[in-house]
DNA sequence: GGCGCGTTTGACAACGTTGTCATCACCTCT
DNA sequence: AGAGGTGATGACAACGTTGTCAAACGCGCC
């Protein structure tokens, strides 16, 4: 900027004015400055600008894994809104590791992002309190924060969705419905379990722990649990799977593309009914009935909340609960064998 | 930092030394400083640090769309390597719009990112030349840049993959193979078309333009083209689809979940054979034979190239071509009807 | 002619760091 | 005792901007 000023024969401040389109610069002067900028290939240093002005025009987004379609949909929505607000986005994947979540968040804070959107991996967010007090806005998405500062939160109606899915299976005559999901320490999994139990209770059915399998969402665990479930003396006639990854893993296990030995269902029974929480790309091709949520909608809602805070809106923290939608495609409408 | 210095009764510079773990600070002094940092909740301002030191320890990643599984896989790999290098990542989706690509890249440059990884949407990258001359490292991924600075590039063996896929169909007796892909203006699509043509030529078969349908990867276009192809007097007995999105759209069209009227194949023929370029999440469940590439591997390769440049490696721009892999799952092995 | 006013411009400090160099106390060696 | 070395600390400028304030200028008006 100094060089530009020298080249144009004006003061530093005048260049600054031109660069920022501030009024009160003579047209011919501005012309000279523009010429100098052009010829020197000058580009404003936004880092210095940020230092001086206090706002960085950037936000941090911490999700579980960008490579998961659910979170990448959410990411894209956040990005779009941020760009429209003239804001850039730092993205980081925590991989469900609280330490990495913390590391990322604090690194973003050290960069003085204006705000954060966080899908919490850990349950302790006390480390955020000083940052929030220092003026960094935070919005939690998909899961509420654990201990820590009160902040806006966007979740989906996990329990309601699970209830609807379970009720749908019940309505089709199923009485033995297995529930396969993430570890119960994860908020969404716990909530979905709650919805499942509520639906059973409302229908007057007992809650059988033997039909519930929660844990890591990887193929091996799902395969083992599914094998156990289908070998029960009184096996389930329907499965409710607790997220997209687990649904796919389950389908793989059933199709026999998962491991050395395919999971065999009792020979007497027909194909098991299945409903999955979360829609996934070609669920329609596979004819899988799902409880769909809207990742992009969640990203939009979180980003909108954040930017509302950034533009000065105060008031108590909000908690938004987005609805889910039952999408009927066949797999959830098979009758019990 | 000033406040911390005052609270600890030391000079600014001593605090700086403590914060940066520089040697030559008395243990007891350091202790006092740490206590002051703790009690004031001080966190270093990386923006100022950056301004002083010249390196921002951040990179920019411009892809076509984070929500596309191919690019989100690539993203995640880039993120992981960057984090290991102590670097944060700005992510932006261009949505195949050259203007938005430019806008994002220039915004990243104004933030003085150390380097860029770009999946080019446009064909003109002259706008990058001054930035590269100013010292910002750039690596292109998935597609080479158009006009613009010479820079490292990572692509996959598009032509080779398409050749292998086409040859596989030929080996199974197909003589009428349709090719559905992205618009030919997109590098990968053009290369894959080249591979397809080479395979035909090697087999001594004529190239029939009527069997080629290129354009936007959306459902409506694919549906229309597929309908046209299957109504030909001499219809294709096999399809080669040019990327993940188009493969899924094609499967939808064939399954009839795509639009009002399902695409009907000639009643006399069996189901058409199909091979897709790009693996996609449940392709195994659907039994779709694919030419797989490795998005994470591409991200890793691009990030490694970038960080090698950032650590000072010079030399002419490199061009890496990653191999593809034929994954046999059934859909590509059906004989012609 | 002198005054006030608006427009254009510039000098300077400040943002929060870090690199350079100087200072100072203390110790060891001759 | 004095020279020289070592370790700890601090003063100050600089990074590239922008906000504040003041100066300089031209103009119309009393």
């Amino acid at each position: 900027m100094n060089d530009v000023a020298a080249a144009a024969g004006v003061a530093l401040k005048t260049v600054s004015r031109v660069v920022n389109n501030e009024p009160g610069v003579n047209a011919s002067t501005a012309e000279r400055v523009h010429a100098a900028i052009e010829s020197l290939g000058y580009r404003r240093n936004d880092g210095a600008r940020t230092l001086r002005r206090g706002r960085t025009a950037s936000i941090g987004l911490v999700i579980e894994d960008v490579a998961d379609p659910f979170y990448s949909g959410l990411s894209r929505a956040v990005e779009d809104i941020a760009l429209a607000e003239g804001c850039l986005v730092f993205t980081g994947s925590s991989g469900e590791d609280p330490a990495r979540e913390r590391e990322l968040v604090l690194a973003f804070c050290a960069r003085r992002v204006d705000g954060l959107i966080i899908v919490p991996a850990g349950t302790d967010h006390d480390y955020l309190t000083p940052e929030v007090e220092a003026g960094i806005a935070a919005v939690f998405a998909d899961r509420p924060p654990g201990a820590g500062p009160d902040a806006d939160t966007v979740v989906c109606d996990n329990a309601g969705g699970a209830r609807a899915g379970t009720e749908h299976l019940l309505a089709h005559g199923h009485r033995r419905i297995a529930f396969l999901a993430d570890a119960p320490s994860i908020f969404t999994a716990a909530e979905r379990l709650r919805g499942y139990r509520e639906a059973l209770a409302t229908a007057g059915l007992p809650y059988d722990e033997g039909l519930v399998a929660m844990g890591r969402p990887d193929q091996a665990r799902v395969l083992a649990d599914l094998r156990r479930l289908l070998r029960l003396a009184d096996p389930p006639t329907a499965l409710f799977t607790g997220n997209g990854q687990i649904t796919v893993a389950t389908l793989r296990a059933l199709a026999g593309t998962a491991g050395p030995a395919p999971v065999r269902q009792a020979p007497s029974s027909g194909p098991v009914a299945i409903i999955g929480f979360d829609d996934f790309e070609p669920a329609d091709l596979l004819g899988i009935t799902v409880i769909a949520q809207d990742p992009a909608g969640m990203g939009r809602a979180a980003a909108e909340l954040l930017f509302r805070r950034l533009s000065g809106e105060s008031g108590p923290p909000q908690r938004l609960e987005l609805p889910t939608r039952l999408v009927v495609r066949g797999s959830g409408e098979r009758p019990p064998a």
Side-chain angles (χ1 to χ4, degrees), chain A residues 145-264:
Chain A
D150 252 4
D152 294 328
T153 303
V154 184
V155 296
C156 90
D157 180 11
N158 290 290
R163 209 164 39 229
T166 310
E167 280 165 1
H168 188 73
L169 290 168
L170 290 168
H172 281 79
H174 294 277
R175 289 297 172 267
R176 300 278 296 163
I177 303 172
F179 181 75
L180 285 119
D182 255 328
S185 61
I186 293 178
F187 171 80
T188 50
E191 282 294 292
R192 291 170 197 177
L193 175 63
R194 185 163 69 82
Y196 163 79
R197 295 186 65 163
E198 284 175 7
L200 292 182
T202 305
L205 287 175
Y207 170 64
D208 178 354
E209 276 207 355
L211 287 178
V212 171
M214 299 176 87
R216 280 175 305 124
D218 58 276
Q219 187 65 62
R221 199 276 299 180
V222 170
L223 186 62
D225 273 333
L226 199 57
R227 197 167 273 150
R228 175 181 67 74
L229 287 167
L230 295 181
R231 280 190 190 144
L232 287 175
D234 188 8
T237 59
L239 306 174
F240 188 79
T241 50
N243 72 24
Q245 231 180 115
I246 289 175
T247 306
V248 172
T250 301
L251 293 172
R252 253 188 210 127
L254 292 173
T257 60
V263 171
R264 246 178 319 156

Side-chain angles (χ1 to χ4, degrees), chain A residues 30 50 82-83 111 162 203 232:
Chain A
T50 267
L83 199 63
R111 292 295 215 290
L232 287 175

Side-chain angles (χ1 to χ4, degrees), chain A residues 59-75:
Chain A
I59 64 174
L61 172 65
V62 180
I63 55 189
E64 205 254 293
D65 180 5
V66 236
D68 180 316
F70 180 82
Y71 295 111
S72 65
L74 188 151
S75 277

Side-chain angles (χ1 to χ4, degrees), chain A residues 84-102:
Chain A
E85 300 270 348
C87 217
L88 297 184
V89 183
F90 280 115
T91 312
S93 300
S94 70
E96 211 66 272
D97 172 0
R100 186 159 156 170
E101 174 203 320
R102 203 184 116 119

